[in-house]
Amino acid sequence: MKLLRSLSDSPAYHCELERQFLAAHPAGGEDVLLLYVNRPSVIVGRNQQIEAEADVDYCRRHGIEIVKRLSGGGAVYHDRGNINYAFIAGRGATPALDRDFLAPVQAALRSAGVETTAGARRDLWVGGRKISGTASFVTADSILFHGTLLHRTDLDRLARALHGDPSKRGKRIASVPAQVMNLSEITDPGESTGEFLDRISCFLAGYYCICKVSYI
């Protein structure tokens, strides 16, 4: 496993980076875990109608970018208080989604004092509130599995930005609303998202016996 941390905050760049890593991953090649933080943005699933999932006018007025991603699933809001993780891995001999990509994430959170429960949609919950949503995309040889970790996200902006017009959905996939919370409610109140990411990154490096974290 190679652990990479992005120095960019561009949602379009990160969506493209995931796409490139997936396309370049050879059968039997080294797996990648990418960690990054985006500036304020709405990331929409590939099978969704943007206007149905996001308040486009609100996003435009507040400088919130809207980007479509490679994977399916529902729309999510990102900002600098949200951490993103992406596994790009070979499919192997077993069905791709039988691999438990949530296990290392849950272990990392446990090391920070947060016990989580995995939901039916491979999301993570704490006390009945959601702290991580995930999505995936599978090719013949590889899989992209990525998700969010709400740490200090502006939850008011999240709610406003994701308030789309259902009448414009048509037959496209709808997002599934859930009550969410920030991890900062139950972790060190003085810890920044960058510091929390450093802790998670350090744990994951140890989890995978990685000697060096690469910055890109």
Side-chain angles (χ1 to χ4, degrees), residues 19 44 46 56 99 105 150 153 156 166 180-181 185 204:
R19 186 190 305 271
V44 181
R46 65 178 293 153
V56 176
R99 294 182 60 177
V105 178
L150 296 172
T153 292
D156 290 333
V180 296
M181 67 173 285
E185 293 183 33
L204 290 169

Side-chain angles (χ1 to χ4, degrees), residues 3 7 37 43 51 53 63 67 81 98 124 126 132 152 181 187 191 207 214:
L3 179 56
L7 298 174
V37 173
I43 315 299
E51 292 79 4
E53 308 306 326
V67 179
D98 280 2
L124 294 178
V126 175
S132 174
R152 288 189 180 275
M181 67 173 285
T187 57
E191 186 175 43
Y207 185 95
S214 299

